[in-house]
Amino acid sequence: MSSDSYSTWINVDLDAIEKNVSILASRTGVPVMAVVKANAYGHGIIQAAGAALRGGAKWLGVARLEEALVLRASHFTCPILVMGYIPGNSFQAAAVNDISVTIWSSEQIQSLGLMTGNLGTPIKVHLKIDTGMSRLGAPGTEALSLAKQIAGTHKVLFEGIFTHYARADELDLSSAKEQQRVFIEILFGINRAGIEPPCVHAANSAGTLFLEDSRFSLIRPGISIYGLHPSQERSLPGGFRASLEWKAVLSQVKVLPAGRGVSYGHEYITQKDERIGTIPVGYADGFRRVPGNQVLVGGNLVPVVGRVCMDQVCVQLDQVPGAKAGDEVVIIGAQGDLQISAEQVADRWGTINYEVVCGLADRVPRQYFPSVD
Ligand SMILES: *Cc1c(COP(=O)(O)O)cnc(C)c1O
């Protein structure tokens, strides 16, 4: 889709998100928690959450309480889990808004027990166990005593228990399988004590797709619902569709004589008469300030030349003699027979597709299809 109103914009295909979620739901038969943290990986949290629920997601997962509150303020009534840290004095806001929280320490459970004393409903907690990611969570050795403490704390509802894989997106799944083994052992111990939290979950996109018996009673896919591959080694199966395109228009096209420096520092110098275009996209939009960028113009892959500026870049257009101001530029997406994927941009930037889409700045307007107004 093009735009008459914007200099640069992002198109988000909500049908693609809906379809991707429905594939995950039907393929696994397990309830889906659609992970919409970080503004739904740059796609737009409200619209993406709506599409995910239409696709059959039962839960929404976020990293921060603020993200959950945005969803509640937009009248999403489904269960929402904050998978990350919540400062002690914000637990009250989570409880009031019926937002499930993640905890991993005895102190947290104690303060929840005190705080919820004057609330009508219990606060729903998910106990996070560190089985090998070494990032967040209780050590396995403390899992049973924490489970008992939660189960014994008035007005705290033991809704779930979970862990997170460090290496489920690799071809060699031995590390993820070891984490899974540890998690299952912990679950057995807790169940033997007569405690059975209803939601048991471990699998991100890669775990969901490549480690089938790690799905437990809830899956937590993020990257795959946007149609992006979990890693270079682990591609999505057929049927998934990328949901985001990033476009712009050429703001100016000119022919410069030989010997002209282009952009800050004149790192690029024209060798002959060269057709140089300007695009209103820069590092403040999430376009990385590194050499070697390429975009699509007139169905051709053209090089960005000179330094990337805050709001603009220059491109070399000798391959596209007909290019003129107002023509469409594709940064991520397809044009003619060619395509630039978020994965290709990530390769060029020495990072992962996750960081490319999460880094898209708020100032780049999102257009949603089908339209959601
Ligand atoms: C981000 C995140 C997910 C989703 O991971 P993907 O790799 O994007 O599928 C799941 N669980 C937790 C705890 C996360 O932080």
Side-chain angles (χ1 to χ4, degrees):
M1 293 290 169
S2 62
S3 169
D4 299 329
S5 330
Y6 300 126
S7 50
T8 182
W9 69 97
I10 288 163
N11 290 332
V12 178
D13 177 353
L14 296 174
D15 285 342
I17 295 176
E18 179 179 333
K19 182 77 196 312
N20 296 335
V21 171
S22 76
I23 293 172
L24 288 161
S26 61
R27 215 184 148 100
T28 63
V30 174
V32 175
M33 175 188 293
V35 176
V36 294
K37 61 190 178 186
N39 198 27
Y41 295 43
H43 293 64
I45 185 167
I46 299 303
Q47 294 81 0
L53 295 179
R54 286 195 295 282
K58 299 295 180 217
W59 281 74
L60 296 171
V62 292
R64 311 254 166 92
L65 179 61
E66 293 81 346
E67 297 172 320
L69 292 174
V70 163
L71 291 168
R72 281 286 182 257
S74 300
H75 311 295
F76 286 93
T77 56
C78 65
I80 301 174
L81 174 65
V82 176
M83 302 181 293
Y85 171 73
I86 297 180
N89 56 11
S90 293
F91 277 124
Q92 189 92 26
V96 167
N97 288 282
D98 193 25
I99 291 162
S100 304
V101 302
T102 296
I103 50 142
W104 52 88
S105 78
S106 180
E107 293 72 28
Q108 288 176 309
I109 302 165
Q110 262 168 21
S111 66
L112 285 177
L114 296 174
M115 174 212 81
T116 55
N118 49 9
L119 278 178
T121 50
I123 183 160
K124 296 167 179 166
V125 305
H126 290 229
L127 176 60
K128 174 83 187 275
I129 309 292
D130 175 18
T131 57
M133 174 79 173
S134 311
R135 187 175 66 174
L136 193 70
T141 48
E142 292 174 17
L144 181 58
S145 71
L146 290 171
K148 286 177 176 166
Q149 189 188 352
I150 297 169
T153 304
H154 188 53
K155 294 210 168 173
V156 174
L157 183 73
F158 199 174
E159 186 177 51
I161 181 165
F162 74 107
T163 192
H164 190 58
Y165 295 124
R167 305 180 66 176
D169 59 348
E170 298 178 15
L171 287 180
D172 178 355
L173 289 173
S174 52
S175 161
K177 284 180 176 160
E178 174 57 17
Q179 282 193 260
Q180 186 187 354
R181 189 193 63 74
V182 170
F183 188 49
I184 289 172
E185 203 171 282
I186 290 166
L187 290 173
F188 276 147
I190 291 173
N191 292 348
R192 264 198 307 272
I195 305 169
E196 292 197 21
C199 301
V200 178
H201 47 115
N204 57 0
S205 296
T208 297
L209 292 165
F210 312 120
L211 192 59
E212 298 195 3
D213 51 0
S214 78
R215 291 169 181 164
F216 298 100
S217 64
L218 188 64
I219 52 174
R220 302 193 310 266
I223 199 81
S224 56
I225 74 178
Y226 309 104
L228 299 172
H229 298 292
S231 67
Q232 278 190 332
E233 292 169 44
R234 288 291 197 175
S235 297
L236 291 171
F240 286 86
R241 202 161 87 231
S243 52
L244 180 145
E245 299 176 308
W246 185 10
K247 296 187 174 182
V249 291
L250 279 170
S251 40
Q252 190 183 11
V253 177
K254 54 198 171 287
V255 176
L256 297 176
R260 289 286 286 273
V262 175
S263 190
Y264 288 122
H266 285 177
E267 270 175 21
Y268 183 79
I269 312 261
T270 53
Q271 300 296 303
K272 52 185 172 17
D273 278 3
E274 289 186 33
R275 183 175 297 274
I276 300 291
T278 309
I279 308 172
V281 160
Y283 58 77
D285 299 301
F287 195 91
R288 192 69 67 78
R289 188 180 173 280
V290 292
N293 283 302
Q294 294 179 316
V295 298
L296 296 171
V297 177
N300 292 266
L301 201 55
V302 301
V304 170
V305 292
R307 283 191 198 146
V308 172
C309 307
M310 187 185 294
D311 320 295
Q312 306 186 71
V313 293
C314 294
V315 285
Q316 215 281 6
L317 294 173
D318 281 359
Q319 301 167 66
V320 203
K324 56 183 189 315
D327 285 1
E328 180 190 87
V329 178
V330 171
I331 302 149
I332 296 173
Q335 192 185 57
D337 301 331
L338 297 182
Q339 197 196 330
I340 299 177
S341 63
E343 286 78 13
Q344 286 168 316
V345 174
D347 280 352
R348 210 187 283 143
W349 291 353
T351 183
I352 53 174
N353 52 2
Y354 292 70
E355 190 183 353
V356 171
V357 289
C358 288
L360 296 171
D362 283 349
R363 79 165 178 177
V364 185
R366 272 68 167 169
Q367 297 197 123
Y368 295 95
F369 300 94
S371 169
V372 288
D373 313 326

